[in-house]
Amino acid sequence: MALIKHAAVQIALLSALAPAAQASSHREAPFITRQPKVDGTDFYMFRSYEPGREQFVTLIANYVPLQDAYGGPNFFTMDPDALYEIHIDNNGDAREDLTFQFRFTNTFKNAAFNIGGKSVPIPLVINGGPIDGVNPAGLNVRETYTVDVVRGDRRGVRQPVRMAGSGATVFDKPVDNIGNKSIPDYAGYAGKHVYAVNIPGCAIPARMFVGQRKDPFVVNLGETFDLINIKAPAVEFLANAEKNARDDLDDKNVTSIELEVAASCLTSGAEPVIGGWTTASLRQGRLLNPNGGSKEGGAWTQVSRLGMPLVNEVVIGLKDKDRFNHSKPAQDAQFADYVTNPTLPALVEVLFGSAGAKAPTNFPRNDLVKVFLTGVQGLNQPANVKASEMLRLNTAIAPVAKGAQKRLGVIDGDNAGFPNGRRPGDDVVDIALRVVMGKLCTLNIGCAAADAPAGAIRFTDGAYLDDSFFGAAFPYLKTPIPGSPQQ
């Protein structure tokens, strides 16, 4: 069997998109490259597979891409002038029914030394001493956040999420992993910022964590952008062929917003399927202060949107990328042609048609409509659904324990995986490439095998990912890479 070793993500980016675009949704649209603090990179939604937590759903929204661990002195705080949101649609109408809103605040402690009788602020922005607990004395900048729940329209009445026990509404975010001297036990330190919380309207306590994590996405970027500068793939499939490419995000961190909520608090009535997406918004107006800082005002304007992985990256055309980031799922009819008549398979055929990578011939691509816009009937399609792009999860499908998950999810027989939600260990690059080239046609989902000449090819970018890359318990994502000592 011919092996095509280049992911759809990179092929499309190289051939058709802006050169600044990277990874799952890292820097995927022109405007968002200028606003990295509100750039949503990945969104995950899955039945919790931590033992004893199977009746919960974990939501993970990642922001601020391509964080170098040594990126001081300011490191990677969230934007205090932004609104970060996770939205849930639980009746299939493409409108949010439940929204979690996160707002951040930075408090500068202005630590100083007495130098020759004068109190002089230190230049170290984040820390002036060891950090070992929540808001320790050695922390020079304290980053906190609040969380509100809105039911119905996202700009409706807000109700605060409270810390279980104390009822507090302000939560501390752990500082980034500066290094082992400042934070000798980062895993233990970060663990002190996992909170049990009470969500208004939900009788079952939830868990929450917001902080830096190792970037969970895996992809081979650099060589692809250099005119697919990768050694020619093997003619016959080899056992390790899907593990032989470099992961260019291997040394990057990201900031995660994580909630683990009882499934019963997210669903509505007898409908087990929920849809989810994450957004970030900024104020319409910004006035720069010539002495430093800015003044923000006006209505909230959405600038980032992410549900299904790779959509804005490799499905939406360049002229509409910013428009997509500003849009809502209910408005997605304007982008339908990108799904029903996609350019990506044609690009794959242009580059690798001589190796058998022929694009599917069925138009409209009803198989892709099911994956991206409605959910697959019998898997994760709501009873009443309006076509719209979002990640959909059937909460009635039991989770699969770590170690037993299949990295290719549904197309490999694991219905608890992508595109039924998305787990950290789902290799969405390989899955998406195979689906866009017609894998579902071989399963008679939306098309027939004859429509997809390359539907059986095991396409891969060679950057391997499975559940062994992640933990077995909340918050699941790995401890971030330390800035020091450098290996």
Side-chain angles (χ1 to χ4, degrees), residues 110-178:
N110 202 30
F113 284 170
N114 187 309
I115 307 297
K118 293 186 176 182
S119 180
V120 182
I122 64 173
L124 297 177
V125 176
I126 299 296
N127 64 313
I131 298 172
D132 57 4
V134 177
N135 189 29
L139 194 63
N140 200 20
V141 176
R142 182 188 184 191
E143 187 173 13
T144 59
Y145 61 98
T146 60
V147 190
D148 292 305
V149 173
V150 179
R151 298 186 182 276
D153 185 270
R154 65 201 287 189
R155 299 298 177 250
V157 177
R158 293 184 288 145
Q159 295 178 287
V161 170
R162 297 182 180 274
M163 196 178 304
S166 71
T169 60
V170 176
F171 304 88
D172 277 87
K173 172 179 171 289
V175 69
D176 295 341
N177 197 355
I178 298 168

Coordinates of all heavy atoms in Angstrom, one line a residue, residues 110-178:
N110 N 5.1 44.8 43.0 CA 6.2 45.8 43.0 C 7.2 45.6 44.1 O 7.6 46.4 44.9 CB 5.6 47.2 43.2 CG 6.6 48.3 42.7 OD1 7.3 48.1 41.8 ND2 6.5 49.5 43.3
A111 N 7.7 44.3 44.1 CA 8.8 44.0 45.1 C 10.0 44.9 44.9 O 10.4 45.2 43.8 CB 9.1 42.5 44.9
A112 N 10.6 45.3 46.0 CA 11.7 46.2 45.9 C 12.8 45.8 46.9 O 12.6 45.1 47.9 CB 11.2 47.6 46.2
F113 N 14.0 46.2 46.6 CA 15.2 46.1 47.5 C 15.6 47.5 48.0 O 15.4 48.5 47.4 CB 16.4 45.5 46.8 CG 16.3 44.0 46.5 CD1 17.2 43.4 45.7 CD2 15.3 43.2 47.1 CE1 17.2 42.1 45.4 CE2 15.3 41.9 46.9 CZ 16.2 41.3 46.0
N114 N 16.1 47.5 49.2 CA 16.7 48.7 49.8 C 18.1 48.9 49.3 O 19.0 48.1 49.7 CB 16.6 48.7 51.3 CG 17.0 50.1 51.9 OD1 18.1 50.6 51.5 ND2 16.2 50.6 52.8
I115 N 18.3 49.8 48.4 CA 19.6 50.0 47.8 C 20.1 51.4 48.2 O 19.6 52.4 47.7 CB 19.5 49.9 46.2 CG1 18.9 48.6 45.8 CG2 20.9 50.1 45.6 CD1 19.7 47.4 46.2
G116 N 21.1 51.4 49.0 CA 21.7 52.7 49.5 C 20.7 53.6 50.1 O 20.7 54.8 50.0
G117 N 19.7 53.0 50.9 CA 18.7 53.8 51.5 C 17.5 54.1 50.7 O 16.6 54.8 51.2
K118 N 17.5 53.7 49.5 CA 16.3 53.9 48.6 C 15.6 52.6 48.3 O 16.3 51.6 48.0 CB 16.7 54.6 47.3 CG 17.2 56.0 47.5 CD 17.4 56.7 46.2 CE 17.8 58.2 46.4 NZ 18.1 58.9 45.1
S119 N 14.3 52.6 48.3 CA 13.5 51.4 47.9 C 13.4 51.4 46.4 O 12.8 52.3 45.8 CB 12.2 51.4 48.5 OG 11.4 50.3 48.2
V120 N 14.1 50.4 45.7 CA 14.1 50.3 44.3 C 13.5 49.0 43.8 O 13.9 48.0 44.2 CB 15.6 50.4 43.8 CG1 15.6 50.4 42.2 CG2 16.2 51.7 44.3
P121 N 12.4 49.1 42.9 CA 11.8 47.9 42.4 C 12.7 47.0 41.7 O 13.6 47.5 41.0 CB 10.7 48.4 41.5 CG 10.4 49.8 42.0 CD 11.7 50.3 42.5
I122 N 12.6 45.7 41.9 CA 13.4 44.7 41.2 C 13.0 44.6 39.8 O 11.9 44.8 39.4 CB 13.4 43.4 41.9 CG1 12.0 42.7 41.8 CG2 13.8 43.5 43.4 CD1 11.9 41.3 42.4
P123 N 13.9 44.2 38.9 CA 13.6 44.0 37.5 C 12.9 42.7 37.1 O 12.4 42.6 36.0 CB 15.0 44.1 36.8 CG 15.9 43.6 37.8 CD 15.4 44.0 39.1
L124 N 13.0 41.7 38.0 CA 12.4 40.4 37.7 C 10.9 40.6 37.8 O 10.3 41.0 38.8 CB 12.8 39.4 38.7 CG 14.3 39.1 38.7 CD1 14.7 38.1 39.8 CD2 14.7 38.5 37.3
V125 N 10.2 40.4 36.6 CA 8.8 40.7 36.5 C 7.9 39.8 37.4 O 7.0 40.2 38.1 CB 8.4 40.7 35.1 CG1 6.9 40.9 34.9 CG2 9.1 41.7 34.3
I126 N 8.2 38.5 37.3 CA 7.3 37.5 37.8 C 7.7 37.1 39.3 O 6.8 37.1 40.1 CB 7.3 36.2 37.0 CG1 6.8 36.5 35.6 CG2 6.4 35.1 37.6 CD1 5.4 37.0 35.5
N127 N 8.9 36.8 39.5 CA 9.3 36.3 40.9 C 10.5 36.9 41.4 O 11.4 37.2 40.7 CB 9.5 34.7 40.8 CG 10.7 34.4 39.9 OD1 10.8 34.9 38.8 ND2 11.5 33.5 40.4
G128 N 10.4 37.1 42.8 CA 11.6 37.6 43.5 C 12.1 36.6 44.5 O 13.0 37.0 45.3
G129 N 11.6 35.4 44.4 CA 12.1 34.4 45.4 C 11.4 33.1 45.0 O 10.7 33.0 44.1
P130 N 11.6 32.0 45.8 CA 11.0 30.7 45.6 C 9.5 30.8 45.6 O 8.9 31.5 46.3 CB 11.5 29.8 46.7 CG 12.8 30.5 47.2 CD 12.5 32.0 47.0
I131 N 8.9 29.9 44.7 CA 7.5 29.8 44.6 C 7.0 28.4 44.9 O 7.5 27.4 44.2 CB 7.0 30.2 43.2 CG1 7.4 31.7 42.9 CG2 5.5 30.0 43.0 CD1 7.2 32.1 41.4
D132 N 6.2 28.2 46.0 CA 5.9 26.9 46.4 C 4.4 26.7 46.8 O 4.0 25.6 47.2 CB 6.8 26.4 47.5 CG 6.7 27.4 48.7 OD1 5.9 28.3 48.7 OD2 7.4 27.1 49.7
G133 N 3.6 27.7 46.6 CA 2.2 27.6 47.0 C 1.4 28.6 46.3 O 1.8 29.4 45.5
V134 N 0.1 28.7 46.7 CA -0.8 29.7 46.1 C -0.5 31.1 46.6 O -0.5 31.3 47.8 CB -2.3 29.3 46.4 CG1 -3.2 30.3 45.8 CG2 -2.6 27.9 45.8
N135 N -0.2 32.0 45.7 CA 0.1 33.4 46.0 C 1.2 33.5 47.1 O 1.0 34.1 48.1 CB -1.1 34.1 46.5 CG -0.9 35.6 46.6 OD1 -0.1 36.2 45.9 ND2 -1.6 36.3 47.5
P136 N 2.4 32.9 46.8 CA 3.5 33.0 47.8 C 4.1 34.4 47.8 O 3.9 35.2 46.9 CB 4.4 31.9 47.3 CG 4.2 32.0 45.8 CD 2.8 32.2 45.6
A137 N 4.9 34.6 48.9 CA 5.5 35.9 49.0 C 6.5 36.2 47.9 O 6.7 37.4 47.6 CB 6.3 35.9 50.4
G138 N 7.1 35.1 47.3 CA 8.1 35.4 46.3 C 7.5 35.7 44.9 O 8.3 36.0 44.0
L139 N 6.2 35.7 44.8 CA 5.6 36.0 43.5 C 5.4 37.5 43.4 O 4.8 38.2 44.2 CB 4.2 35.3 43.5 CG 3.6 35.2 42.1 CD1 4.4 34.4 41.1 CD2 2.2 34.6 42.3
N140 N 5.9 38.1 42.3 CA 5.9 39.6 42.1 C 4.7 40.0 41.3 O 4.2 41.1 41.5 CB 7.1 40.1 41.4 CG 7.4 41.6 41.6 OD1 6.8 42.2 42.5 ND2 8.2 42.2 40.7
V141 N 4.1 39.1 40.5 CA 2.9 39.4 39.8 C 1.9 38.2 40.1 O 2.2 37.1 39.8 CB 3.1 39.5 38.3 CG1 1.8 39.7 37.6 CG2 4.0 40.6 37.9
R142 N 0.8 38.6 40.7 CA -0.3 37.6 41.0 C -1.3 37.7 39.9 O -2.0 38.7 39.7 CB -0.9 37.9 42.3 CG -2.0 36.9 42.8 CD -2.7 37.4 44.0 NE -3.6 36.4 44.5 CZ -4.5 36.6 45.5 NH1 -4.6 37.8 46.0 NH2 -5.4 35.7 45.8
E143 N -1.5 36.5 39.2 CA -2.5 36.4 38.2 C -3.7 35.7 38.7 O -3.6 34.5 39.2 CB -2.0 35.8 36.9 CG -3.0 35.8 35.8 CD -2.4 35.3 34.5 OE1 -1.3 34.7 34.5 OE2 -3.0 35.5 33.4
T144 N -4.9 36.3 38.7 CA -6.1 35.7 39.2 C -7.2 35.7 38.1 O -7.0 36.4 37.1 CB -6.7 36.4 40.5 OG1 -6.9 37.8 40.2 CG2 -5.7 36.3 41.6
Y145 N -8.3 35.0 38.4 CA -9.3 35.0 37.4 C -10.7 34.7 38.1 O -10.7 34.2 39.2 CB -9.1 33.9 36.3 CG -9.0 32.5 36.7 CD1 -10.1 31.6 36.7 CD2 -7.8 32.0 37.3 CE1 -10.0 30.3 37.1 CE2 -7.7 30.6 37.7 CZ -8.8 29.8 37.6 OH -8.8 28.5 38.0
T146 N -11.7 35.1 37.4 CA -13.1 34.8 37.8 C -13.8 34.0 36.7 O -13.4 34.1 35.5 CB -13.9 36.1 38.1 OG1 -13.9 36.9 36.9 CG2 -13.2 36.9 39.2
V147 N -14.8 33.3 37.1 CA -15.6 32.5 36.1 C -17.0 32.8 36.3 O -17.5 32.7 37.5 CB -15.3 31.0 36.2 CG1 -15.9 30.2 35.0 CG2 -13.8 30.7 36.3
D148 N -17.8 33.0 35.3 CA -19.2 33.2 35.3 C -19.9 32.2 34.4 O -19.3 31.8 33.4 CB -19.6 34.7 34.9 CG -19.1 35.7 35.9 OD1 -19.5 35.6 37.1 OD2 -18.4 36.6 35.5
V149 N -21.1 31.9 34.7 CA -21.9 31.0 33.9 C -23.1 31.9 33.4 O -23.7 32.6 34.1 CB -22.5 29.8 34.7 CG1 -23.5 29.1 33.9 CG2 -21.4 28.9 35.1
V150 N -23.3 31.7 32.1 CA -24.5 32.4 31.4 C -25.3 31.4 30.8 O -24.8 30.5 30.0 CB -24.0 33.5 30.4 CG1 -25.2 34.1 29.8 CG2 -23.1 34.5 31.0
R151 N -26.6 31.4 31.0 CA -27.5 30.4 30.4 C -28.3 31.2 29.3 O -28.8 32.2 29.6 CB -28.4 29.8 31.4 CG -27.6 29.0 32.5 CD -28.5 28.2 33.4 NE -27.6 27.5 34.4 CZ -27.1 26.3 34.2 NH1 -27.3 25.7 33.0 NH2 -26.3 25.7 35.1
G152 N -28.4 30.6 28.1 CA -29.0 31.2 27.0 C -28.0 32.1 26.3 O -26.8 31.7 26.2
D153 N -28.4 33.2 25.8 CA -27.5 34.1 25.0 C -26.3 34.4 25.9 O -26.4 34.8 27.0 CB -28.3 35.4 24.7 CG -27.4 36.3 23.8 OD1 -26.7 37.1 24.3 OD2 -27.5 36.1 22.6
R154 N -25.1 34.4 25.2 CA -23.9 34.6 25.9 C -23.7 35.9 26.6 O -22.8 36.1 27.4 CB -22.7 34.4 24.9 CG -22.7 35.5 23.8 CD -22.0 35.1 22.6 NE -20.5 35.0 22.7 CZ -19.7 34.9 21.7 NH1 -20.1 34.7 20.5 NH2 -18.4 34.9 21.9
R155 N -24.5 36.9 26.2 CA -24.4 38.2 26.8 C -25.6 38.4 27.8 O -25.9 39.5 28.2 CB -24.4 39.3 25.8 CG -23.3 39.2 24.8 CD -21.9 39.4 25.5 NE -20.8 39.3 24.5 CZ -19.9 38.3 24.5 NH1 -20.1 37.3 25.4 NH2 -19.0 38.2 23.7
G156 N -26.1 37.3 28.3 CA -27.2 37.4 29.3 C -26.7 37.5 30.7 O -25.6 38.0 31.0
V157 N -27.6 37.1 31.6 CA -27.3 37.3 33.1 C -26.1 36.4 33.5 O -26.1 35.2 33.2 CB -28.5 37.0 33.9 CG1 -28.2 37.1 35.4 CG2 -29.7 37.9 33.5
R158 N -25.2 36.9 34.2 CA -24.0 36.2 34.6 C -24.2 35.8 36.1 O -24.7 36.5 36.9 CB -22.7 37.0 34.5 CG -22.3 37.3 33.1 CD -21.0 38.1 33.0 NE -21.1 39.5 33.5 CZ -20.2 40.1 34.2 NH1 -19.1 39.5 34.6 NH2 -20.4 41.4 34.6
Q159 N -23.8 34.5 36.4 CA -23.7 34.0 37.7 C -22.3 33.5 38.0 O -21.8 32.7 37.2 CB -24.8 32.9 37.9 CG -26.2 33.3 37.7 CD -27.2 32.2 37.9 OE1 -27.3 31.3 37.0 NE2 -27.9 32.1 39.0
P160 N -21.8 33.8 39.2 CA -20.4 33.4 39.4 C -20.2 32.0 39.8 O -21.1 31.4 40.5 CB -20.0 34.3 40.6 CG -21.3 34.6 41.3 CD -22.3 34.7 40.2
V161 N -19.2 31.4 39.3 CA -18.7 30.1 39.8 C -18.0 30.3 41.1 O -17.1 31.2 41.2 CB -17.8 29.4 38.8 CG1 -17.2 28.1 39.3 CG2 -18.6 29.0 37.5
R162 N -18.2 29.4 42.1 CA -17.6 29.6 43.4 C -16.8 28.4 43.9 O -17.1 27.3 43.5 CB -18.7 29.9 44.5 CG -19.5 31.2 44.2 CD -20.6 31.4 45.3 NE -21.4 32.6 45.0 CZ -21.0 33.8 45.4 NH1 -19.8 34.0 46.1 NH2 -21.7 34.9 45.1
M163 N -15.8 28.7 44.6 CA -15.0 27.7 45.2 C -15.8 26.9 46.2 O -16.4 27.4 47.1 CB -13.7 28.3 45.8 CG -12.6 27.3 46.1 SD -11.1 28.1 46.9 CE -10.8 29.3 45.6
A164 N -15.7 25.5 46.1 CA -16.5 24.7 47.0 C -15.9 24.9 48.4 O -14.7 25.0 48.6 CB -16.3 23.2 46.6
G165 N -16.8 25.0 49.4 CA -16.4 25.2 50.8 C -16.3 26.7 51.1 O -17.2 27.2 51.9
S166 N -15.4 27.5 50.6 CA -15.2 28.9 51.0 C -16.2 29.8 50.3 O -16.5 30.9 50.8 CB -13.8 29.3 50.7 OG -13.6 29.5 49.3
G167 N -16.7 29.4 49.1 CA -17.6 30.3 48.4 C -16.9 31.4 47.6 O -17.5 32.3 47.1
A168 N -15.5 31.4 47.7 CA -14.7 32.5 47.0 C -15.0 32.5 45.5 O -15.3 31.4 44.9 CB -13.3 32.3 47.3
T169 N -14.9 33.6 44.9 CA -15.1 33.8 43.4 C -13.9 34.1 42.7 O -13.9 34.3 41.4 CB -16.2 34.8 43.2 OG1 -15.8 36.1 43.7 CG2 -17.6 34.4 43.8
V170 N -12.8 34.3 43.4 CA -11.5 34.7 42.7 C -10.6 33.5 42.9 O -10.4 33.0 44.0 CB -10.9 36.0 43.3 CG1 -9.5 36.3 42.7 CG2 -11.9 37.2 43.1
F171 N -9.9 33.1 41.8 CA -9.1 31.9 41.8 C -7.7 32.3 41.3 O -7.5 33.2 40.4 CB -9.6 30.9 40.8 CG -11.0 30.4 41.1 CD1 -12.1 31.1 40.6 CD2 -11.3 29.4 42.0 CE1 -13.4 30.8 40.9 CE2 -12.6 29.0 42.3 CZ -13.6 29.7 41.7
D172 N -6.7 31.7 41.9 CA -5.3 32.0 41.5 C -4.9 31.1 40.4 O -5.1 29.9 40.4 CB -4.3 31.8 42.7 CG -4.3 33.0 43.6 OD1 -5.1 33.1 44.5 OD2 -3.4 33.9 43.4
K173 N -4.2 31.7 39.4 CA -3.6 30.9 38.3 C -2.1 30.7 38.6 O -1.4 31.7 39.0 CB -3.7 31.7 37.0 CG -3.0 31.1 35.8 CD -3.3 32.0 34.6 CE -2.4 31.6 33.4 NZ -1.0 31.9 33.6
P174 N -1.6 29.5 38.5 CA -0.2 29.3 38.8 C 0.7 30.0 37.8 O 0.4 30.1 36.6 CB 0.0 27.8 38.6 CG -1.1 27.3 37.8 CD -2.3 28.3 38.0
V175 N 1.8 30.5 38.2 CA 2.8 31.2 37.3 C 3.4 30.1 36.4 O 3.4 28.9 36.7 CB 3.9 31.8 38.1 CG1 4.8 30.8 38.8 CG2 4.7 32.8 37.3
D176 N 3.8 30.5 35.2 CA 4.4 29.6 34.3 C 5.6 28.9 34.8 O 6.2 29.4 35.8 CB 4.7 30.3 33.0 CG 3.5 30.8 32.3 OD1 2.4 30.4 32.6 OD2 3.6 31.7 31.4
N177 N 6.1 27.8 34.2 CA 7.2 27.0 34.7 C 8.5 27.7 34.4 O 9.2 27.4 33.5 CB 7.1 25.6 34.1 CG 8.0 24.6 34.9 OD1 8.7 25.0 35.9 ND2 7.9 23.4 34.5
I178 N 8.8 28.7 35.3 CA 10.0 29.5 35.1 C 11.3 28.7 35.1 O 12.2 28.8 34.3 CB 10.1 30.6 36.2 CG1 8.9 31.5 36.1 CG2 11.4 31.3 36.1 CD1 8.7 32.4 37.3

